[in-house]
Amino acid sequence: MADSVAAGVGEEKETENEDKEREKRSSNNTNKTETSGVPSEGTETLGFYERNANKQDKGRNLSDLSLVRFISAELTRGYFLEHNEAKYTERRERVYTCLRIPKELEKLMTFGFFLCLDAFLYVFTLLPLRVLLALIRLLTLPCCGLGGSRILQPAQVCDVLKGFIMVLCYSMMHYVDYSMMYHMIRGQSVIKLYIIYNMLEVADRLFSSFGQDILDALYWTATEPKEKKRAHIGVIPHFLMAVLYVFLHAILIMVQATTLNVAFNSHNKSLLTIMMSNNFVEIKGSVFKKFEKNNLFQMSNSDIKERFTNYVLLLIVCLRNMEQFSWNPDHLWVLFPDVVMVIASEMAVDVVKHAFITKFNDITADVYSEYRASLAFDLVSSRQKNAYTDYSDSVSRRMGFIPLPLALLLIRVVTSSVKIQGSLSYVCVLLFYLGMITLKVLNSIVLLGKSCLYVKEANMEEKLFQTPPSAAPSRATSRTSSRAHRAKYTSSPPGDPTDEEVCTSEITTQPVHQDECPAPHLPSSKSDQFLTTPDDTEEKDIGQEGMELKHRAPKKDLLEIDRFTICGNRID
């Protein structure tokens, strides 16, 4: 009994000793972990020891880094461009578009230049002959009799008005002294001349924008059918307004040409350099703006007109300088570097401007072929039997190029610079006139052939046989006309010709005058007056028509764009 009690007491002492040893070991382990920063495996940690371990790993990683390893990593680091293939493909296409812009732009500029040249030569060659034929018809009218027709056709009336405007303005231009104007401008400082030249450019664009409206108002007032109610102030006030406009615009262009002539004749060429740098300021004003295809088309037309006008101004400057040096051909080579500098700066500015505009607005280079087709459509449509305007007027509306003031100034400069004396001089003038007629005819034939080709490539042949655009109908009439259009095509049998086909056949068979197409007769009822919403079928038809108009919108918008521009932007 005593032995068992003693044995139990000894076991309890051993267990107590073991517990004490365990506590000592655990305390020693905790002390070691606190000093070393490594947590023990048997103890629970609430994130403190893990953070210490992460700090230790970072310390080891930082200790492993070195300058040599960083340089080797930078030298051997790689990446894969195919991971963003779409982005780099788009950038490459933008580069290719910028490389294609000069070629496509110069194609458009060349075609537009010859269009302006055709309209410009028309004033010198065919317009005098057409005016002469109209006057012969007017003088021989008492002998031939009316015969129930008009005295003069509308086109002949417009030609006679143009001839009278040119004659009156030319007689008024004789009172303007070019030499006095030259010396007045030459006496001004360089800064004043620079400001004057910029003001003249802005005024020229404003005159071109409003001048064709004055001429169109005169033509329509003189040829408007007499059956309609009079809603105008009369032909004579419109004629006086047109004469005043052409005269003032010609004076404006003369001041512009004189300023350019002063820049050419300055000794240090500082004014010419400032004027050429003004072209690069145009890049700043246009490149960083948002442009759509229609706005770019207007800017392209404005650039075509500006380039052709500059060529004519350079021709006037050369004529005046050659006259002052008694037509010495050696002086022409003195002017040649300056002329090349003006032309080269103009072309460079146009290329850079269009390249960056197409880049910033994601416009492809193929858009210039559409612009060229639109200009070609104007030329082809003016040759149709149902044409409603002359081609020179169409170019004026599209590009803002009005040939009458520029032609008037050129005639004034040529007649004052070239002295005609003797019969041989008149023979030379006659031969020169015949040469201009030959150039006009050849240019018209080539342009017409190219225009037909461009129209076919753009699939615009069907628009040549459409009726001329009339006044914009109201919302109600457009809805009724769309209903009538659908009712016509659903009710007419396939064998019977529709009203549109009859109108088209009448247009192609009547070259002189045609009546408007009669509106289709619709049976009306009282119930139609209370219909405010279309039914389901009409909604589907309207939706389909809307989708078709959306797809045809770019071409239609290009054909409807005219010269209502200020610095290349449309006035909305």
Side-chain angles (χ1 to χ4, degrees):
M1 187 71 182
D3 294 332
S4 61
V5 172
V9 173
E11 291 177 356
E12 289 177 358
K13 290 181 178 180
E14 290 177 358
T15 54
E16 289 178 358
N17 294 328
E18 290 178 356
D19 292 336
K20 290 180 179 180
E21 290 177 357
R22 288 176 181 175
E23 289 177 359
K24 291 180 180 180
R25 291 175 182 174
S26 62
S27 63
N28 293 329
N29 291 331
T30 54
N31 292 328
K32 290 180 180 179
T33 53
E34 288 178 358
T35 56
S36 61
V38 179
S40 62
E41 296 179 356
T43 58
E44 293 182 359
T45 58
L46 297 177
F48 178 74
Y49 296 114
E50 285 81 351
R51 288 195 296 269
N52 292 332
N54 293 332
K55 291 180 181 179
Q56 185 179 5
D57 294 337
K58 290 181 180 179
R60 291 177 181 177
N61 294 332
L62 291 174
S63 63
D64 294 337
L65 292 179
S66 64
L67 180 61
V68 176
R69 294 187 63 182
F70 175 76
I71 294 175
S72 63
E74 288 294 324
L75 293 176
T76 58
R77 181 171 53 87
Y79 49 89
F80 299 94
L81 297 180
E82 59 266 18
H83 292 168
N84 199 353
E85 181 180 356
K87 176 183 177 181
Y88 291 105
T89 304
E90 181 183 359
R91 298 293 174 86
R92 184 174 62 186
E93 292 299 326
R94 287 184 179 181
V95 174
Y96 292 164
T97 300
C98 289
L99 294 178
R100 290 180 56 195
I101 287 299
K103 179 181 177 182
E104 298 296 329
L105 178 63
E106 288 305 318
K107 285 183 180 179
L108 176 65
M109 289 289 180
T110 304
F111 184 72
F113 173 82
F114 283 104
L115 291 180
C116 294
L117 179 64
D118 190 70
F120 190 63
L121 290 177
Y122 172 81
V123 179
F124 298 98
T125 56
L126 298 184
L127 181 61
L129 298 178
R130 290 175 64 92
V131 172
L132 183 61
L133 291 177
L135 293 178
I136 291 174
R137 174 182 171 82
L138 190 62
L139 294 175
T140 58
L141 190 62
C143 301
C144 300
L146 289 175
S149 61
R150 296 185 178 185
I151 300 177
L152 293 176
Q153 296 297 327
Q156 293 177 329
V157 174
C158 296
D159 293 334
V160 171
L161 290 175
K162 290 179 183 178
F164 285 162
I165 289 173
M166 292 292 292
V167 171
L168 288 178
C169 291
Y170 179 73
S171 61
M172 294 167 63
M173 289 288 290
H174 278 287
Y175 294 97
V176 180
D177 192 355
Y178 185 88
S179 300
M180 184 182 66
M181 183 183 298
Y182 176 82
H183 290 289
M184 287 178 59
I185 295 176
R186 189 182 179 88
Q188 306 298 324
S189 62
V190 175
I191 301 300
K192 284 185 179 181
L193 293 179
Y194 174 70
I195 297 174
I196 290 173
Y197 192 79
N198 290 333
M199 293 174 60
L200 292 175
E201 284 188 346
V202 176
D204 179 57
R205 294 186 180 185
L206 295 177
F207 267 81
S208 300
S209 178
F210 189 63
Q212 189 61 34
D213 290 338
I214 296 176
L215 297 177
D216 287 340
L218 172 63
Y219 302 152
W220 174 240
T221 304
T223 60
E224 187 178 8
K226 304 302 180 183
E227 292 82 9
K228 294 185 179 182
K229 184 180 178 181
R230 177 172 175 175
H232 53 81
I233 59 177
V235 179
I236 296 178
H238 279 284
F239 180 76
L240 295 177
M241 289 171 58
V243 171
L244 181 63
Y245 155 70
V246 174
F247 176 71
L248 292 179
H249 199 178
I251 294 295
L252 177 68
I253 300 175
M254 177 182 285
V255 176
Q256 195 172 0
T258 307
T259 308
L260 187 61
N261 193 7
V262 171
F264 268 73
N265 294 330
S266 60
H267 297 287
N268 52 4
K269 306 293 182 182
S270 59
L271 178 59
L272 186 62
T273 305
I274 293 175
M275 292 168 62
M276 293 306 100
S277 64
N278 189 33
N279 292 330
F280 292 93
V281 178
E282 185 181 355
I283 298 177
K284 177 183 176 182
S286 59
V287 164
F288 301 104
K289 293 181 181 178
K290 181 176 177 56
F291 277 85
E292 296 181 356
K293 292 174 65 176
N294 295 345
N295 303 113
L296 185 59
F297 183 41
Q298 294 162 356
M299 175 172 284
S300 302
N301 292 333
S302 179
D303 292 337
I304 293 171
K305 176 253 180 182
E306 183 180 357
R307 183 176 294 189
F308 183 82
T309 305
N310 288 336
Y311 289 164
V312 178
L313 292 180
L314 290 175
L315 176 61
I316 293 174
V317 169
C318 292
L319 288 175
R320 296 298 300 178
N321 280 275
M322 293 296 291
E323 179 199 3
Q324 296 298 324
F325 287 89
S326 302
W327 300 96
N328 187 8
D330 295 335
H331 185 69
L332 185 62
W333 297 106
V334 177
L335 297 174
F336 185 74
D338 296 335
V339 173
V340 172
M341 185 178 68
V342 172
I343 296 175
S345 64
E346 186 71 26
M347 294 176 65
V349 167
D350 290 339
V351 169
V352 172
K353 179 174 63 176
H354 284 266
F356 280 98
I357 286 176
T358 53
K359 178 183 181 297
F360 292 150
N361 296 277
D362 293 331
I363 301 175
T364 61
D366 297 330
V367 73
Y368 291 101
S369 61
E370 299 179 11
Y371 299 160
R372 191 173 54 195
S374 180
L375 295 177
F377 182 85
D378 291 338
L379 176 59
V380 177
S381 61
S382 65
R383 310 292 181 179
Q384 297 294 317
K385 295 180 179 179
N386 60 340
Y388 55 91
T389 183
D390 186 61
Y391 172 66
S392 59
D393 296 331
S394 178
V395 173
S396 301
R397 297 184 187 97
R398 180 74 72 178
M399 299 183 183
F401 172 67
I402 304 177
L404 293 182
L406 197 60
L408 179 64
L409 177 61
L410 186 60
I411 293 173
R412 172 71 176 84
V413 171
V414 170
T415 53
S416 62
S417 301
V418 181
K419 304 300 181 181
I420 301 176
Q421 296 177 354
S423 59
L424 184 60
S425 300
Y426 288 101
V427 172
C428 292
V429 171
L430 180 60
L431 293 177
F432 181 75
Y433 180 71
L434 294 177
M436 291 180 62
I437 293 179
T438 305
L439 178 62
K440 169 67 173 66
V441 172
L442 292 178
N443 189 29
S444 299
I445 293 173
V446 175
L447 282 178
L448 188 59
K450 289 291 185 180
S451 300
C452 293
L453 181 62
Y454 295 151
V455 169
K456 287 182 180 179
E457 290 177 354
N459 298 323
M460 300 168 66
E461 301 95 330
E462 67 277 2
K463 295 185 179 181
L464 294 173
F465 303 101
Q466 293 180 359
T467 56
S470 57
S474 61
R475 191 171 184 179
T477 55
S478 62
R479 181 178 297 179
T480 56
S481 62
S482 63
R483 290 180 182 176
H485 182 74
R486 290 194 296 272
K488 177 180 66 175
Y489 281 98
T490 53
S491 61
S492 60
D496 296 337
T498 59
D499 294 334
E500 186 177 357
E501 294 175 356
V502 173
C503 293
T504 305
S505 62
E506 290 178 358
I507 288 172
T508 55
T509 55
Q510 297 293 332
V512 178
H513 180 72
Q514 70 271 7
D515 296 330
E516 296 181 353
C517 299
H521 178 70
L522 293 177
S524 60
S525 61
K526 295 182 179 180
S527 61
D528 293 336
Q529 300 176 359
F530 302 98
L531 292 177
T532 57
T533 57
D535 52 6
D536 296 336
T537 58
E538 290 180 353
E539 290 179 356
K540 293 180 180 179
D541 294 337
I542 292 173
Q544 292 177 358
E545 291 177 0
M547 292 297 293
E548 293 177 358
L549 288 175
K550 186 182 293 184
H551 290 297
R552 292 196 303 264
K555 292 183 180 179
K556 185 176 181 181
D557 292 338
L558 289 179
L559 292 177
E560 290 179 351
I561 294 173
D562 48 20
R563 88 280 171 224
F564 292 104
T565 58
I566 288 182
C567 300
N569 295 323
R570 183 175 177 83
I571 304 173
D572 293 325

